[in-house]
Amino acid sequence: MNRVSLAVSAAIARVTESALGPYQTAVIRIGFTATWLLFLLREFPHRQELYGPDGPWDFGLAQQLVGTNGAFTALMWSGSQVWFETVYAFAVLTSVLLLLGWRTRTMSVLFMVGVLSLQNRSVFVGDGGDNVLHLMCVYLVFTRCGQVWSLDARRARRAGEARARGEHVAPDRVGPALWAVLGLVLGAVTAVGRLDGDPTIPVILWAVWLGTALWWVVDRRARTDQPRILLDVVGNIAHNGALVVIMAEACLIYATAGWYKIQGSRWQDGTAVYYPLHLEYFSPWPGLADLLSASGTMVMLITYGTVLVQVAFPFTLFHRRVKNVLLAAMMTEHAVIAVVLGLPFFSLAMIAADAVFLPTPFLRRVGAGADRARARLARTVRRRDDGTRVPEPRTPEDPEPAHVGFTA
């Protein structure tokens, strides 16, 4: 009984004391924002047909649909061309800022608003990747996705270093100003009835806005640490809960896809992969598709392997090595789908969802490699700017040089 109690206590402490998976949530943030941003930029010439007034699903039909399902979309607030362009530019801007990790708490909410506003305007033009992004943008709001690899993390690190040196750190003025402006906008939109319909998104918007205010007041006015600790525990629970939901969502996608495939006759006889390779709509590289489908054995192995990986993956999460092998196989499969079938954004969305299962040591090595590359690039830029040769940093094993010379 004592062992069970200790295990439960340790699990509770692990969930409440820290926000788990900081590198995984950072990769999810970067992956989904990059996917959405690239999609918006690629479809910029066709934005009117996809989400604007030139599409087959006109403003009147969209109003009827939204009136029926109560879905949130800011594009229904006005049918003007100027408003559509504003919302589209807003979606692009919030994607860039969240990708960089600037004010991630606020930008994650605004990113969700941009995604839902466009997708709910024309729900019949999306695919599986849009559905994944639709769900994940909501889950991302509850995560602390800016702990690493973000401008927020860099700002917090610099402030901590300045305090450690005894320097004065100026209070944050951008955050409160941003909170006040968005609060006025949210209050005005609510007052005129633009948030009527399904209450889920309005509740999330108001909860985040009020929670941010409470956090700011407690952080600056509380006389003891207990209120701060309590809010930090609540934030950790929300983050860890959202992380579990994201993992469960990814497993559910693969499990349902795999089990539905098992019921199909073409998947059972090992020929299912052959047919999409010869559809004109999914053949950006016909020669490559012909090469992959030339061997019946290859088609059969890919067909059965796809089903096996998708069905087995949820059952391998507690075996690290097997999970990593299947994870690499699924990411490779999506990369192949992106190239061979011409579905890059579906594949990017799925790879971003898969990233929640990437091992932390691997992500740390990737981050360290990126830091070294950035430092090397910065040295190269400085060398070109001042015309001097900057020496390479020594490792602890290198002997102390007797003299270091600089050549002009």
Side-chain angles (χ1 to χ4, degrees):
M1 188 64 182
N2 290 334
R3 291 182 179 179
V4 175
S5 300
L6 290 175
V8 172
S9 300
I12 293 175
R14 181 172 175 79
V15 171
T16 58
E17 287 180 353
S18 63
L20 303 177
Y23 293 94
Q24 286 80 359
T25 48
V27 173
I28 292 173
R29 182 197 85 234
I30 295 170
F32 282 117
T33 51
T35 301
W36 182 239
L37 177 62
L38 292 174
F39 174 79
L40 294 179
L41 294 179
R42 191 196 73 169
E43 299 298 338
F44 185 80
H46 313 290
R47 65 192 184 282
Q48 301 288 349
E49 291 79 8
L50 285 174
Y51 305 116
D54 295 340
W57 201 254
D58 61 18
F59 189 78
L61 290 174
Q63 280 186 318
Q64 295 180 32
L65 179 63
V66 172
T68 301
N69 59 23
F72 170 84
T73 170
L75 286 178
M76 290 295 97
W77 298 352
S78 173
S80 69
Q81 178 68 28
V82 174
W83 179 244
F84 168 75
E85 299 293 351
T86 301
V87 173
Y88 200 93
F90 171 84
V92 172
L93 177 61
T94 54
S95 300
V96 172
L97 294 178
L98 185 57
L99 175 65
L100 298 175
W102 185 79
R103 308 287 171 175
T104 51
R105 175 62 63 194
T106 300
M107 288 304 121
S108 64
V109 177
L110 299 182
F111 175 75
M112 176 190 69
V113 170
V115 172
L116 298 183
S117 294
L118 293 177
Q119 288 191 351
N120 287 338
R121 165 64 174 83
S122 301
V123 295
F124 301 109
V125 300
D127 56 18
D130 294 298
N131 294 335
V132 173
L133 185 62
H134 192 105
L135 294 171
M136 295 301 178
C137 74
V138 179
Y139 304 151
L140 199 62
V141 171
F142 299 94
T143 65
R144 291 180 162 180
C145 56
Q147 297 179 95
V148 297
W149 299 345
S150 67
L151 295 178
D152 288 349
R154 187 181 69 171
R155 185 176 65 253
R157 183 177 64 254
R158 289 182 174 179
E161 293 172 352
R163 293 190 184 95
R165 294 191 299 266
E167 300 175 1
H168 172 71
V169 178
D172 180 25
R173 301 185 185 278
V174 177
L178 189 62
W179 174 86
V181 171
L182 294 177
L184 291 175
V185 174
L186 184 59
V189 170
T190 303
V192 298
R194 296 298 186 181
L195 294 182
D196 295 341
D198 186 88
T200 303
I201 301 304
V203 167
I204 292 175
L205 295 177
W206 277 109
V208 173
W209 188 78
L210 294 174
T212 303
L214 179 61
W215 199 288
W216 187 87
V217 171
V218 168
D219 187 54
R220 286 159 178 76
R221 304 296 182 183
R223 298 180 178 179
T224 63
D225 291 336
Q226 281 75 12
R228 298 187 185 90
I229 295 174
L230 177 61
L231 290 180
D232 198 49
V233 167
V234 173
N236 291 336
I237 293 175
H239 168 92
N240 296 330
L243 199 61
V244 171
V245 172
I246 292 173
M247 298 170 68
E249 188 72 40
C251 290
L252 184 63
I253 291 172
Y254 284 117
T256 53
W259 285 106
Y260 271 111
K261 286 181 175 65
I262 289 178
Q263 302 175 43
S265 60
R266 294 293 177 264
W267 291 95
Q268 292 175 5
D269 61 25
T271 62
V273 172
Y274 176 85
Y275 298 100
L277 291 175
H278 291 80
L279 293 176
E280 183 179 358
Y281 185 76
F282 295 110
S283 298
W285 312 99
L288 183 58
D290 292 338
L291 179 63
L292 291 176
S293 60
S295 172
T297 303
M298 179 65 69
V299 171
M300 182 186 66
L301 290 176
I302 295 175
T303 301
Y304 288 150
T306 299
V307 176
L308 177 63
V309 169
Q310 291 183 348
V311 172
F313 180 74
F315 300 100
T316 65
L317 295 182
F318 298 102
H319 195 290
R320 180 172 56 86
R321 292 183 178 179
V322 177
K323 182 263 294 182
N324 290 339
V325 171
L326 293 186
L327 184 62
M330 289 191 300
M331 288 185 168
T332 302
E333 177 188 6
H334 287 303
V336 173
I337 289 174
V339 176
V340 177
L341 298 183
L343 297 172
F345 300 109
F346 165 77
S347 298
L348 284 175
M350 291 307 304
I351 290 174
D354 294 341
V356 71
F357 300 107
L358 288 173
T360 300
F362 169 76
L363 294 176
R364 285 177 175 172
R365 288 195 296 271
V366 171
D371 289 339
R372 289 193 297 269
R374 185 170 61 249
R376 191 178 300 112
L377 178 61
R379 289 195 301 270
T380 302
V381 172
R382 290 198 302 269
R383 186 184 309 162
R384 291 176 178 177
D385 289 343
D386 57 19
T388 60
R389 178 180 176 273
V390 181
E392 296 293 331
R394 293 182 299 104
T395 62
E397 292 78 10
D398 292 337
E400 184 69 24
H403 175 72
V404 177
F406 292 86
T407 57

